[in-house]
Amino acid sequence: METITLHTKHTTYQMGILEHGFLLHLYYGPKAEGEMDGFLSYYDRGFSANPYELRDQREISMDYLPLEYPCYGNGDHRSPAFRMRTADGVFAADLRYQSSRTVPGKYAIPGLPAVYAGDQEAYTVEVLLEDKASGVEVTLLYGVLPKLDVITRCAVVKNNGTEPIFLNKAASMSLDFLDGDYELLHFYGRHAMERMAERTPLCHGSQGFGSRRGSSSHQHNPFVILTRPETTERSGCCWGVSLLYSGNFWCEAEKDQFHQARLQIGLLPEMFDYPLAPGEVFFSPEAAMAYSGKGLAHLSHIFHRLIRRHVCRGRFRDVRRPVLLNNWEATYYDFDGKRLLDIAREAASLGVELFVLDDGWFGVRNDDNSGLGDWIVNEEKLDMTLADLSHQIHRMGMQFGLWIEPEMVNEDSALYRQHPDWAFQIPGRKPVMGRNQLVLDFSRKEIVDHVLEAISQVIAGARIEYIKMDMNRSISDVYTAVSGYQNYGTIMHRYVLGVYDFLERLSARFPDLLIEGCNGGGGRFDAGMLYYTPQIWCSDDTDAIERIQIQHGTSFGYPVSAVGSHVSAVPNHQTGRSVSLHTRGIVAMAGSFGFELDLNHLTDREKEEVREQIRTWKDCWSLIQDGLYYRLHEPSRHPDSAAWSFVSPDRQEMLLNIVTLDTHANCPVPHIRCMGLDPKRQYQELSSGRLFPGSALMHTGFPVPVVPGEYNAWQYHFIAVN
Ligand code: DGJ
């Protein structure tokens, strides 16, 4: 069989071209030479129909063969990657292989985030498929990054026919496996409790999750792992897929009648109805895939490296981010310039480098019922201009940052009174309200232009080095006033393109801005957003103990540098729990570190501790950001203590973090089995000076100190000696 083979350093991916151009998926796994079509078993299978040209070869059916980009209409009754409809309402397609070519470098996607790489670091394989009857072409793009062991995918659909068609499904990737002995590891959650890891066996039928909220959502994350049942952090096979997209998506894992598996991710097909006139082209969002034969930790490391170096952009990609203090939990809406400066002064004196003014500085905004959309500084409330405030903060030696929520509008705002039709609302119906606000139709360029202009003026009018871009409700009542595009079927995708356009243009205008993403915390924590914002506020839950679980789930697909994490006040505002400043600091250091409280309220001893935390973070940031992150506890198996470590790429240093989650009388001693160390070296723990063999740290494990009390935490710095 003619094959198309992609090799990375440690993996191989293969497609096969069956007679009459049916494109099969033959292999994705550890590096292998040769052709894989010998693994297929052909026989006449009941109720699995045959293509017309092969009607005499009843052993050939699209209904069981592993397919590269399955389409609805040629006999495959499993979940298709591609489904289109004609103007007459007929669903049919039969995509057949035409040609393929390899070009140097990594493709880009117009208007959408995509992995980038130098011409020496990547190559692109283009595989052209065609549906003869309609003239529709689908080009499958594969970006191969050999050194990283990553393959990206995107489908480009072109209507080369004479009649319009409607896309109903165009997945970013589809991966078939010849057996179904797998487990699905995915990340579900809710507001203030995002990305909880859940691992379930793959069952017959389909398991799916996704978002129909307009953002990638708190509830499900567009990152998924398929593992062998025996796979652990330390060993075993697993495949990860990350969708670079920040809106509605759908991920589906299917186990078919022959116990074979299929994994897909892409735009949410539900109500997706995208017209393509003759000559028009549609680009799917990109999916990045990786295979690890060395367990989950290694798979995560591949995605961490990919996102850090080939997704995040801009001048903050590799550098230490400033230690920030955000006033949200310190003041909420209740501030004036003087109160902010009081907070800032104390922050500066303790070593904070960036002061962020959160919600409430614009329009009439003293609670969350009004003002969104009016991006005009409320100088009366501040009792000074924003330029003055920023100037005074700079004089304290800090940078200045600002919160925005560009996609939103309150009914009680000048913008809404002037342009009620700019908000999503369906004529004749009352809209669903979220936080008493409506969503602006960012699928319309003139609306994006207006908001971008207004916010740019504010940024240009004061010295501003950082922006936190928020989004505080799910999208509903989708209807646009632009004729021809009223339906949900196109707007939700074009809305996301509008958000990306806003971010792209904002960064182009202000290339030195550090932009932090946010969606009521981590409701848009995805690789698409990280293309524009190198860090994202991980969750509105700042409780250190809950954060451990949130950051644990987040770490499977995303690097520590992407995680906005702050020390906040106790009792915690979300849970009412009190945890020591020490523990809060250790948890917040597993991210882009900052504070979210009024430091004036701390005792002198606590202030000294804050100084010390900032010093530690500055000393260790490179180990934290550039080191390899290891999850050292499995929450369901080790409910009493959590642990994670950062190990430098040369295995010279380790920062081991431990937090106890429960306390017992006469308790057993948990041992934290470290990972990623050099088994042949001794490691010195700096605070005690004691030596530990690397191999034993990984086998016996480091003993968790037995100290009475709740939520104790330790951070141990180990350095290898010869
Ligand atoms: C939700 C964010 O996640 C918070 O940090 C804060 O910025 C509020 N919105 C402000 O309205």
Side-chain angles (χ1 to χ4, degrees), residues 191 326 328 333 358-359 365 368 403 405 435 468 470 472 518-522 537 539-540 596:
H191 173 239
N326 179 305
W328 178 242
Y333 296 102
D358 211 278
D359 195 354
R365 182 93 172 149
D368 58 14
W403 175 97
E405 193 178 1
R435 214 192 189 200
K468 173 178 172 187
D470 207 346
N472 281 303
C518 177
N519 178 312
W537 181 226
S539 177
D540 270 352
E596 183 121 358

Side-chain angles (χ1 to χ4, degrees), residues 136-371:
V136 169
E137 285 180 358
V138 177
T139 306
L140 303 177
L141 298 179
Y142 298 81
V144 186
L145 287 82
K147 240 174 118 181
L148 259 87
D149 283 323
V150 166
I151 297 175
T152 67
R153 290 185 59 173
C154 160
V156 185
V157 186
K158 181 165 187 204
N159 184 357
N160 261 348
T162 51
E163 299 296 324
I165 59 133
F166 294 81
L167 287 180
N168 179 247
K169 187 171 183 188
S172 299
M173 57 73 67
S174 183
L175 206 51
D176 278 2
F177 297 82
L178 291 175
D179 75 315
D181 193 15
Y182 297 98
E183 291 181 353
L184 190 70
L185 178 52
H186 66 117
F187 305 90
Y188 74 96
R190 58 181 187 272
H191 173 239
M193 195 39 102
E194 300 87 341
R195 290 171 297 287
M196 300 292 102
E198 183 172 71
R199 189 166 163 169
T200 53
L202 201 62
C203 302
H204 286 95
S206 282
Q207 276 161 274
F209 61 87
S211 165
R212 52 178 78 83
R213 292 171 176 272
S215 65
S216 49
S217 88
H218 303 85
Q219 286 72 12
H220 293 287
N221 193 264
F223 175 70
V224 66
I225 298 174
L226 202 63
T227 79
R228 286 295 187 187
E230 65 276 13
T231 299
T232 65
E233 288 287 349
R234 290 155 208 263
S235 68
C237 304
C238 44
W239 293 256
V241 184
S242 186
L243 185 69
L244 282 79
Y245 193 64
S246 312
N248 287 353
F249 75 97
W250 188 245
C251 177
E252 192 170 333
E254 184 176 8
K255 188 160 162 179
D256 73 12
Q257 55 181 333
F258 301 110
H259 316 320
Q260 308 179 115
R262 172 172 288 177
L263 181 69
Q264 298 178 333
I265 199 165
L267 289 178
L268 177 75
E270 193 181 294
M271 293 187 277
F272 179 66
D273 191 32
Y274 203 97
L276 271 192
E280 282 185 345
V281 181
F282 175 85
F283 292 83
S284 82
E286 177 168 271
M289 313 184 297
Y291 163 79
S292 158
K294 295 191 287 186
L296 294 164
H298 181 65
L299 187 73
S300 292
H301 295 162
I302 296 175
F303 280 98
H304 294 174
R305 213 171 303 136
L306 177 78
I307 288 175
R308 281 213 60 200
R309 305 266 191 241
H310 297 272
V311 174
C312 293
R313 300 175 296 167
R315 88 177 179 83
F316 290 93
R317 192 187 76 168
D318 301 329
V319 302
R320 180 174 72 73
R321 317 277 164 71
V323 177
L324 68 81
L325 182 134
N326 179 305
N327 75 306
W328 178 242
E329 288 196 18
T331 65
Y332 297 102
Y333 296 102
D334 182 17
F335 59 80
D336 57 16
K338 185 184 167 307
R339 183 157 182 219
L340 295 173
L341 288 170
D342 285 347
I343 297 172
R345 201 167 299 108
E346 192 58 46
S349 80
L350 299 183
V352 171
E353 299 165 304
L354 164 69
F355 180 84
V356 179
L357 172 52
D358 211 278
D359 195 354
W361 56 266
F362 52 90
V364 180
R365 182 93 172 149
N366 295 315
D367 55 33
D368 58 14
N369 292 306
S370 65

